[in-house]
Amino acid sequence: MKDNLTPLMRAKVFVKESPARMAFIIAILLYVATVAVSPTSLNANAIGSIIMMTLLLSFASAGQTIVLIGGGMDFSVGAVMSSAAILATTIMNHRDGYFLPLLISALAMGAFVGLCNGVCAVKIGLPPMIVTLAISNVVTRMQYVLTQGSPLGYVSDAFFRSVTTRLFGVQFLPSIILYAFIVFPLVFFLLNRSRFGKQVYLIGNNPLAARLDGIEVSRVQILTYVFSGMFSAFAGILGAAYMQSVRCQTFDEYAYNSLIAVIIGGTALSGGIGTYTGSIAGSLVMVVLSNLLTAMQLSPTKRNVVLGVLMVLLLVLYNREKNVRQ
Amino acid sequence: MNTKTKPTPSYLLASARQALGRFHTSPAFAGSMLFLAALVLNAALQGPASFFTVKNINTLFTKNTPFMLAAIAQSLLLMTGTMDISCGVQMALVNVVVIMTGQEWGIPFPLSCLLGIGAAILASLLCWVCCSVLRLPALLASYALTFVIKGVNVMIMSVPQGKVEKLYYKAYDSQIFGFIPASILGLALVLLIWAYVRRTRLGTHMYAVGGNQRDAFAAGISPMGVQLKAFLLKGFIIGAAGVCLTLMTAAGNPLQAEDYGIRSLSACIIGGLSFGGWGTVGCAISGAGFLVLIQNSVYYFFSMLVKMIPGFSVTSYYQNFASDLLILLGLLMTMVTARGQREALRRDIVRQLKTGIGLRDQAGTPPPDGAAAGAALAPPPGNGTGPENTDAPAFDTLSAPAVSTSAARTGLSDGAGVGAAHTKEGMDDER
């Protein structure tokens, strides 16, 4: 059937059908452009840091992917990450041996914020974007109130090394990859192999049908927000380990970036469609793009303009609503 | 409601009671009750003697007219079933344009105000292209535009600078006849314009498109055209809000007012507007007033704490936290307002079933997918929103395809011919 398509139509089909592959291709093209702009950026160390940032963003967008597939949206990813990072530096305070308490408290904090998001968005029926934005504002203000604007402390050396050491002495293998060996299978299991994942896809596709099938729609949806909060918190403490010391709002841009990454990966805003592979590819695109913009020495303002236009373009590609005539 | 008796005292009493009942079931009811509660709270915390002074009321209006205008603009979009979270940065755009055209080109202030309003209308048009023409999800598209417009602002004016002539900002801060705040004029102008538009065909069409785009289209209304007009109107109001903002701050700052976008949206939601086809401008005003007075109360509450507890000091962090928390709590108040809406809807249906009045005009159940995004509330059959049941607004009949065909034939709008041609498809689709 595909034989009688024009090349343009075939390209369109390709874009629509396999956003993950498309995203990988875009990422490679962007990287080639970066190397063309500044040839010095082609070295093992730079590739290593690209991998590092990509993994960090893909951890943050894991929760966002689950929430979007379930038909919601989570804008508090950035605020939760920043809060978790502040927790990390405050609890560790340059001492070893506090990883477990930190992990538990950060995950609990993330789960709590996620629960608030879920209850407000699902039970009360407010638009998810607005309510999560409002909650993330509150969480951000909370950081300022609790730290009086200047968070103290550093992460422990062991934790810092567990994220940034290059494996086997190879420059482009940062040890954050080890964390990916835990997170990626977990997300894949959650989305593709568990009952929860199937329910999320079904709810995203058609909440009414899901309810008639006997799924407790609101409970599953709230659970997606809780997972999102926990993944964000985990990404936040890893981010703290990478940065060593943090300020308030350090990771706030991850809210927007993770959303764009997930959309680049082909997850539909209307829910029910999407893969985590796509989100990882989308994260790669975002990181490479930001590298390119840095290489071109654009000011932060122009970067923002570019990101805004990119978002509009992506929405045009993947998320147009149906015509009223159809 | 339909009885045509002579105006006797008992009739007047009855109609007064009816008006009260209408207000009770109107969308703005819950919002205005919240507003009154906030007013009482604020007056109590500040002390009535210092609250009800000309100076204080004037300050309240001067400081908050831009925000009220933004909320009104947002409410028009919400009625039409779309929204724009970038209106905060659009106000900053107006501010930047007004200041910079005056400073660089030496244009007199009134003229640069017009240029600023033009800029706001252009930005609104951009948003319309994204939301209606390209059919992107309004919330996300306008959020993306926030970044773009903010970038443009900084390109026009890199750092905060500039000033407004003393004559103008003194005039903005003054009182007419010694007690009416001059800033209220902007508000009154916008409300007058809206009161006129609401009574034209466009007003009805806006509700129709907000209620259900497909049904509106089947009735011969062009959703894109109606949304275009709504966005133009909103651009004008945001322009006025930006001018008020400029007069208020009397300086230029490219990065201010960004939170006006989400705050205006939450003001509308608190006031009782939901997404599409439900609610009035009164909702937006009472919601905005609620937010303003609550934030005022927070300030006085903290200063009271400082006075009462020795050694207690407040940083601005606490106040920011409290006001953001209150915005969130206000959003959660929708539980209350939404219940009010549901009850209004139910009561209306029950009344019609009991009395049989107006059954001819009403189209039974509202469209099922009316307001899927919001509090899941479809437009109710003609209570407080419409003028009267008797002159049945078009949107009441829209959910019945047979009626909508006749509506299209009788020339409901300019696009009636097109609408009639497409109605059949729309009907087939609905089945």
Side-chain angles (χ1 to χ4, degrees), chain A residues 92 95-101 156 158:
Chain A
M92 284 193 157
R95 295 166 299 182
D96 284 332
Y98 280 84
F99 180 71
L100 211 58
S156 67

Side-chain angles (χ1 to χ4, degrees), chain B residues 99-287:
Chain B
I99 295 287
M100 285 314 265
T101 49
Q103 189 175 315
E104 299 292 315
W105 301 340
I107 294 176
F109 185 73
L111 202 62
S112 48
C113 280
L114 284 183
L115 282 178
I117 293 177
I121 291 178
L122 271 185
S124 285
L125 274 181
L126 186 65
C127 195
W128 170 73
V129 169
C130 288
C131 296
S132 307
V133 179
L134 297 175
R135 301 189 303 276
L136 308 179
L139 207 53
L140 268 178
S142 57
Y143 191 75
L145 282 183
T146 307
F147 287 88
V148 177
I149 297 174
K150 206 159 60 173
V152 172
N153 287 354
V154 177
M155 278 176 210
I156 298 176
M157 178 195 276
S158 49
V159 286
Q161 56 182 292
K163 60 182 193 309
V164 178
E165 284 167 49
K166 198 174 178 185
L167 169 72
Y168 294 109
Y169 72 78
K170 277 284 173 202
Y172 178 71
D173 208 20
S174 65
Q175 294 110 29
I176 307 163
F177 309 129
F179 66 97
I180 304 173
S183 46
I184 219 170
L185 283 183
L187 216 53
L189 174 75
V190 165
L191 284 180
L192 270 180
I193 293 176
W194 168 244
Y196 168 71
V197 171
R198 176 69 192 90
R199 273 162 188 74
T200 60
R201 200 175 272 169
L202 175 62
T204 314
H205 287 183
M206 278 168 67
Y207 279 102
V209 171
N212 188 332
Q213 289 207 13
R214 274 153 205 278
D215 288 347
F217 181 73
I221 302 168
S222 151
M224 215 194 274
V226 172
Q227 285 186 343
L228 170 66
K229 285 169 195 160
F231 266 105
L232 286 179
L233 204 57
K234 175 233 143 203
F236 173 75
I237 298 175
I238 287 293
V243 170
C244 287
L245 184 76
T246 310
L247 287 169
M248 185 183 99
T249 57
N253 181 356
L255 292 177
Q256 65 185 338
E258 194 189 338
D259 63 331
Y260 276 54
I262 180 143
R263 273 178 64 210
S264 65
L265 209 52
S266 43
C268 289
I269 294 175
I270 291 166
L273 277 156
S274 66
F275 293 84
W278 167 278
T280 59
V281 165
C283 296
I285 293 177
S286 54

Side-chain angles (χ1 to χ4, degrees), chain A residues 125 129 141 269 320-321 326, chain B residues 134-135 139-140 214 324:
Chain A
M129 181 178 164
R141 299 297 191 194
L269 284 174
R320 292 181 69 178
E321 280 158 17
Q326 280 165 3
Chain B
L134 297 175
R135 301 189 303 276
L139 207 53
L140 268 178
R214 274 153 205 278
D324 265 349

Side-chain angles (χ1 to χ4, degrees), chain A residues 1-67:
Chain A
M1 196 188 85
K2 283 188 178 178
D3 293 340
N4 51 5
L5 292 174
T6 62
L8 187 70
M9 282 165 82
R10 219 175 284 175
K12 242 181 182 174
V13 168
F14 181 72
V15 171
K16 293 247 178 207
E17 295 293 317
S18 52
R21 265 180 286 169
M22 187 69 205
F24 275 121
I25 293 174
I26 295 176
I28 291 168
L29 289 181
L30 283 175
Y31 189 66
V32 170
T34 315
V35 173
V37 169
S38 74
T40 49
S41 61
L42 183 63
N43 60 53
N45 203 7
I47 297 179
S49 80
I50 286 181
I51 290 178
M52 168 93 78
M53 300 310 287
T54 304
L55 290 181
L56 203 56
L57 183 55
S58 64
F59 295 162
S61 53
Q64 186 80 273
T65 313
I66 300 177
V67 172

